[in-house]
Amino acid sequence: MGVPEQLAERMSMAEQHEYLRARFSRRTMIRGGAVTLGAVAGGVFVPGGTAQAATPAQAPASTRTYPSAETVDGSLVAPFGRHLAFGADPRTEISVSWQVPVAVKKPFIRVGAHPWDLSRKIEAEVRTLYTPAGVGAGADHTQYYVHAELTHLKPGRTYYYGVGHQGFDPAAPHLLGTLGTFTTAPATAKPFTFTAFGDEGVGYHGLANDSLVLGQNPAFHLHAGDIAYADPAGQGKSGDTGFDSRIWDQFLAQTESVAKSVPWMVSYGNHDMEAWYSPGGYGGEEARWNLPANGPDAKNLPGVYTFVYGNTAVISLDANDISYEIPANLGISGGTQTKWLEAQLKKYRAAKHVDFIVVFFHHCAYCTSTAHASEGGVRQEWVPLFEKYTVDLVINGHNHQYERTDVIKGGEVTRKLPIGGTAHPETDGVVYVTAGAAGRSLYAFSAPQTYEGHENDVESVDSFINTKDGKVDETVAWSRVRYLDYSFLRVDVHPAPGGRTATLTVRGIAETGAEIDRFTVARKVR
């Protein structure tokens, strides 16, 4: 039940927003019994779910474009939670996103080549995310996410920027300390570093890893899903309890020290399917993030996209679409994601300016964790494509530990890859890394740990794989490095001229700063 048609014709979106907040407050829902609530997307009402009195977890939530601001003294409201993302072309496009704690008037971004020259002022878009009473903790709560897309930037250039609104101008002398910077991708291939991890959440270990990531001076960071853990159940079901939308405020504040200057490119995991927001549980993510919209279905699969940085193509996938273990969104793309993936792999492998292809997503193709282990849907749908187009590196999260395989093809080890070794994807196969130890509580292995300085090789490891028929036991020989503590991944990319060999140097870095793994992916440049 949305705004009555007769009222909607006479009310602005802001007035409709306030009507709904009053109509579906906690008090009204309890008094009125069951109601049907429409979700709002882009200011248009679409069918929603049914909210039952005294059944809080079933109440749907909504996301919509920004209504007119409430009366507020903008000088008293400070933006927070800044995070960057590349556009489809990292050489010329950057998206800057942030939050404000209350509605403000006329939000904007200033950008320029120097902190004293922020003459370019661009209006920003605000996406409100309203979580009504009955949805977990902290409901009847509105969050305000602000986004500005910057285009026609110059490649390889560092820019200064500031975010603000009426009453809060970052160009003012007393606010210059709020400025941030970003650097666009170079026009030609040059050496660079990127970092990656998954399963962060809010807490000391996530904060510590963020600090270490910043110290690597990465060109960008990949987050392989399970981002904030506002939904602790992670099953993608509106009947689950414990959801708290305010966790996102804490997460974005935690990561701001890095994400305000390092593009933070995310893929979505099972804990990111927040079923209270449509469509597909991704409405909340759409409010918070502004990712490249060049995937196969930006509406239903907003975390699927691609970009090229220098000589390296990066593809983000949504493994919720093919997960047998956690099937809330199983089949959501109707097969279009896999078809799109093959088209991108074929395009990049034929492109002369692309040497390496890196794919990242949440659920593991190959892992021996005692918690989730391996996802059969990934092996069935995507692994054959990774092998066909000789993908250079696959990065996953989901299992809260570090694990790295040998070189695999056809489910078998084609080359053992010891610490310090070199893989040749063109002839040997693919290397898979699980980097899911960014901050959440750690899992376990069934076999002994083995990592740099503490090597303990075994011939095989007993594990399992999640299939459409449930868990199936398997004994595997491809588990080469296993480390059970907080960590992240650092990748150094070294281009090369035609006829020479370009390399990816991949390192596992512990929360202590110690190196726990290192290997090289080598490819001869055409």
Side-chain angles (χ1 to χ4, degrees):
M1 182 185 299
V3 178
E5 185 176 353
Q6 297 88 342
L7 288 176
E9 292 177 353
R10 303 194 301 269
M11 296 170 68
S12 68
M13 280 302 300
E15 291 168 331
Q16 292 182 37
H17 173 75
E18 292 306 315
Y19 174 90
L20 285 172
R21 288 194 62 173
R23 176 69 180 85
F24 298 113
S25 67
R26 181 181 297 273
R27 181 179 303 171
T28 304
M29 288 178 68
I30 293 175
R31 184 177 63 244
V35 297
T36 302
L37 180 62
V40 182
V44 179
F45 286 91
V46 296
T50 299
Q52 300 276 343
T55 313
Q58 293 182 356
S62 56
T63 178
R64 68 210 67 163
T65 51
Y66 180 59
S68 59
E70 301 168 7
T71 302
V72 65
D73 183 350
S75 65
L76 303 178
V77 180
F80 71 98
R82 289 168 292 176
H83 50 288
L84 307 177
F86 287 132
D89 185 351
R91 298 171 300 179
T92 61
E93 300 173 357
I94 286 279
S95 179
V96 182
S97 303
W98 65 97
Q99 270 188 272
V100 285
V102 297
V104 295
K105 297 178 180 179
K106 299 180 179 179
F108 63 87
I109 184 171
R110 289 190 179 275
V111 62
H114 307 283
W116 57 85
D117 178 19
L118 298 175
S119 57
R120 186 178 176 187
K121 183 178 179 182
I122 300 169
E123 182 180 353
E125 171 202 3
V126 182
R127 302 172 191 167
T128 64
L129 185 64
Y130 174 49
T131 306
V135 178
D140 199 16
H141 174 64
T142 299
Q143 292 164 301
Y144 302 89
Y145 297 101
V146 194
H147 305 275
E149 295 183 358
L150 306 180
T151 61
H152 300 93
L153 301 170
K154 294 183 178 180
R157 179 73 62 87
T158 296
Y159 289 87
Y160 290 81
Y161 74 92
V163 299
H165 47 263
Q166 184 174 304
F168 187 101
D169 191 337
H174 69 290
L175 293 177
L176 290 178
T178 68
L179 299 184
T181 63
F182 61 82
T183 302
T184 54
T188 57
K190 296 179 180 180
F192 69 94
T193 296
F194 71 89
T195 51
F197 60 44
D199 305 79
E200 183 178 8
V202 176
Y204 169 79
H205 297 291
L207 182 63
N209 267 327
D210 285 349
S211 298
L212 281 172
V213 162
L214 183 61
Q216 313 304 309
N217 193 29
F220 56 88
H221 178 72
L222 305 180
H223 196 307
D226 282 7
I227 304 168
Y229 285 84
D231 175 21
Q235 297 296 311
K237 299 178 180 179
S238 60
D240 292 333
T241 60
F243 175 72
D244 190 343
S245 62
R246 298 169 300 179
I247 296 296
W248 280 101
D249 302 342
Q250 299 176 38
F251 176 83
L252 291 171
Q254 171 182 287
T255 58
E256 183 176 20
S257 63
V258 188
K260 70 179 181 181
S261 59
V262 176
W264 200 267
M265 310 303 293
V266 301
S267 63
Y268 297 143
N270 54 293
H271 285 272
D272 306 314
M273 295 186 293
E274 298 172 343
W276 305 270
Y277 307 108
S278 64
Y282 295 136
E285 309 300 358
E286 275 290 83
R288 303 174 190 115
W289 304 96
N290 209 41
L291 302 169
N294 56 7
D297 185 349
K299 178 181 179 181
N300 294 304
L301 295 171
V304 180
Y305 58 89
T306 183
F307 65 91
V308 176
Y309 190 102
N311 68 337
T312 302
V314 178
I315 300 175
S316 171
L317 298 176
D318 185 347
N320 292 317
D321 178 32
I322 59 170
S323 172
Y324 291 127
E325 180 196 12
I326 302 172
N329 274 356
L330 178 62
I332 190 172
S333 78
T336 59
Q337 181 176 195
T338 298
K339 292 178 181 178
W340 175 86
L341 170 61
E342 178 160 23
Q344 300 307 304
L345 293 174
K346 183 177 181 180
K347 176 184 71 175
Y348 287 139
R349 195 43 77 209
K352 293 183 178 180
H353 66 290
V354 171
D355 298 325
F356 297 112
I357 301 175
V358 175
V359 182
F360 77 109
F361 52 92
H362 188 60
H363 304 62
C364 298
Y366 294 95
C367 185
T368 63
S369 164
T370 58
H372 300 296
S374 303
E375 173 55 63
V378 172
R379 288 202 205 167
Q380 175 182 308
E381 294 290 327
W382 295 344
V383 164
L385 297 179
F386 299 157
E387 295 176 357
K388 179 179 179 179
Y389 295 99
T390 64
V391 166
D392 299 281
L393 180 64
V394 175
I395 300 170
N396 300 135
H398 201 38
N399 289 288
H400 301 178
Q401 55 220 42
Y402 180 93
E403 185 168 15
R404 192 257 296 167
T405 70
D406 286 318
V407 189
I408 301 175
K409 191 172 185 178
E412 303 293 334
V413 174
T414 55
R415 177 189 292 271
K416 288 187 177 182
L417 189 60
I419 294 170
T422 300
H424 301 274
E426 293 171 283
T427 56
D428 297 339
V430 184
V431 180
Y432 299 82
V433 178
T434 299
R440 293 293 285 188
S441 57
L442 299 167
Y443 291 165
F445 290 114
S446 61
Q449 294 187 65
T450 175
Y451 54 91
E452 188 170 341
H454 186 82
E455 296 184 42
N456 188 6
D457 290 344
V458 295
E459 291 185 2
S460 62
V461 177
D462 291 332
S463 187
F464 65 89
I465 181 172
N466 295 283
T467 74
K468 61 182 178 180
D469 298 319
K471 293 181 179 180
V472 175
D473 292 336
E474 61 177 5
T475 299
V476 305
W478 38 254
S479 178
R480 179 55 49 192
V481 177
R482 296 177 297 277
Y483 178 74
L484 193 58
D485 213 333
Y486 297 99
S487 58
F488 66 94
L489 203 63
R490 171 183 171 137
V491 182
D492 297 304
V493 184
H494 300 278
R500 304 290 292 275
T501 299
T503 60
L504 301 177
T505 302
V506 186
R507 293 180 170 91
I509 308 293
E511 187 185 75
T512 62
E515 183 177 282
I516 56 172
D517 187 23
R518 173 175 47 86
F519 66 96
T520 299
V521 178
R523 183 177 287 272
K524 189 172 182 179
V525 179
R526 290 168 290 181

